[in-house]
Amino acid sequence: MFNKLLQNNSRRRFIQLGGGALTGVAAIATAGNSIANAQSTSPNTPDTSAQPTRIGNRFQGKVVLITGATSGMGRAAAIAFAREGARVVFNGRRENLGREVENLIRSEGGEATYIQTDVTQPDQVNAFFDRILDLYEGRIDIAFNNAGYEGQIVSLLDDTLENYDVVMNTNVRGMYHCLLREAPVMASQGSGVIINTSSVGGYGANTGGIVTPYVTSKHAIIGLTKSAALALAGRGIRVNALVPAYIDTAQVDRFTNNDPQQKAEGVRRDVPLQRIGRVEETSAMVLWLASDECSFSTGASFFIDGGQTADI
């Protein structure tokens, strides 16, 4: 399937890395604008003219943990959960961006706490969880494990073990450490929801071997999600994977050389819906996965890719 989709280097980079989590704050403020030409011709383009600051009370009082939420999909999810009444605690490495998100949520009357954390550092991860449990009396209702890193954009022939280590330590080891802290808390409650960010790169590869560690890590997250779901199902805990691609983030900008025309051409060529995805759309899926409306799903992968992988 991926051999059919991936015809050149820029295309390979775009598709494989469309579901990453380390994305820029500008991605939300300008979502969709950078590919206006591609979107303007699509009948599927949603109306984004109204963005309410409070939607409802679907997660009123729920304690929601999000990793990698200083930008991109994690940032959008933090805002969306807060607008539904959740008590959001999130992390990320870039403190200035984390404080921006925290202040934005609070300015809208929401509840949010930012804690600077690098998920590759065990002491920082433990401190993050200790703070959450202290703030909310030992409770975590929902965890969105979203922190990730794409690594260097090189072929296997040019890759290094160091690149592999930093990608795997962030995307897999860091996520697993978070699961080790989340699961016992939720098990003691007898309930909980865990959502792990993978990518379409977790269901295929590319002909040039570009970003091999990233693809490896995203496959690992699918396996981790399935095994954790089976291990925790008897404890009332659901575990699912979010599988995005072609989401309008700063990461996708990087892999299309910050060229809006190149990005727009990639969308027109590869996405049946003929537009790029928005972070608000990924957050809508995350909230659905976390809700009681999705109460019979666990161990599953939920694609949000505009039909790109419909032939899997």
Side-chain angles (χ1 to χ4, degrees):
M1 180 273 297
F2 273 81
N3 286 349
K4 181 176 72 176
L5 291 173
L6 310 177
Q7 300 299 322
N8 55 53
N9 241 19
S10 63
R11 191 176 180 187
R12 283 197 294 268
R13 294 174 181 178
F14 192 9
I15 291 175
Q16 291 296 337
L17 295 160
L22 294 180
T23 53
V25 169
I28 290 178
T30 63
N33 291 337
S34 61
I35 59 160
N37 291 335
Q39 291 190 357
S40 63
T41 61
S42 171
N44 300 298
T45 304
D47 179 8
T48 61
S49 58
Q51 296 292 335
T53 59
R54 186 60 182 266
I55 297 172
N57 299 305
R58 198 163 27 146
F59 298 99
Q60 187 65 43
K62 297 289 187 181
V63 178
V64 176
L65 173 164
I66 306 175
T67 67
T70 56
S71 61
M73 295 188 300
R75 180 185 192 271
I79 294 168
F81 272 117
R83 288 174 175 174
E84 288 278 6
R87 299 180 289 181
V88 178
V89 184
F90 68 99
N91 70 24
R93 294 180 301 173
R94 295 168 291 183
E95 184 173 12
N96 60 323
L97 300 184
R99 296 301 175 197
E100 285 181 10
V101 179
E102 181 184 64
N103 291 336
L104 172 61
I105 291 172
R106 290 179 177 179
S107 71
E108 295 183 349
E111 184 171 346
T113 302
Y114 166 70
I115 302 170
Q116 187 177 27
T117 309
D118 181 342
V119 297
T120 69
Q121 303 301 311
D123 289 346
Q124 293 185 32
V125 172
N126 285 328
F128 174 65
F129 278 90
D130 290 345
R131 178 79 181 280
I132 295 170
L133 298 177
D134 182 60
L135 281 173
Y136 294 113
E137 300 179 344
R139 188 164 193 88
I140 300 172
D141 296 296
I142 298 159
F144 179 28
N145 296 319
N146 176 68
Y149 177 56
E150 72 271 19
Q152 296 177 12
I153 312 166
V154 295
S155 74
L156 178 61
L157 295 176
D158 298 316
D159 213 342
T160 64
L161 189 59
E162 290 75 18
N163 187 43
Y164 175 90
D165 284 342
V166 71
V167 172
M168 295 298 286
N169 283 341
T170 303
N171 298 357
V172 182
R173 188 172 181 270
M175 182 179 289
Y176 193 66
H177 189 181
C178 291
L179 278 167
L180 290 177
R181 292 298 307 265
E182 294 155 3
V185 175
M186 293 180 176
S188 69
Q189 299 165 177
S191 65
V193 178
I194 297 171
I195 302 158
N196 300 324
T197 297
S198 182
S199 164
V200 294
Y203 275 85
N206 57 55
T207 55
I210 302 299
V211 292
T212 301
Y214 178 86
V215 171
T216 302
S217 73
K218 294 303 182 177
H219 275 74
I221 289 170
I222 298 300
L224 176 57
T225 298
K226 291 179 178 180
S227 59
L230 294 181
L232 300 174
R235 301 297 190 112
I237 304 168
R238 297 189 294 107
V239 188
N240 289 301
L242 180 73
V243 186
Y246 274 116
I247 306 302
D248 197 16
T249 62
Q251 187 185 67
V252 170
D253 288 337
R254 291 196 296 273
F255 289 99
T256 52
N257 301 312
N258 291 305
D259 182 349
Q261 183 176 356
Q262 184 177 336
K263 182 162 62 172
E265 289 173 354
V267 170
R268 281 192 291 265
R269 181 182 58 231
D270 298 328
V271 181
L273 287 183
Q274 290 292 287
R275 67 174 180 84
I276 202 165
R278 299 181 300 113
V279 291
E280 291 85 0
E281 292 172 308
T282 62
S283 65
M285 180 171 281
V286 170
L287 266 64
W288 176 72
L289 290 172
S291 74
D292 291 340
E293 297 165 3
C294 190
S295 60
F296 198 54
S297 294
T298 195
S301 296
F302 290 83
F303 290 80
I304 181 164
D305 65 359
Q308 181 185 331
T309 56
D311 62 346
I312 286 181

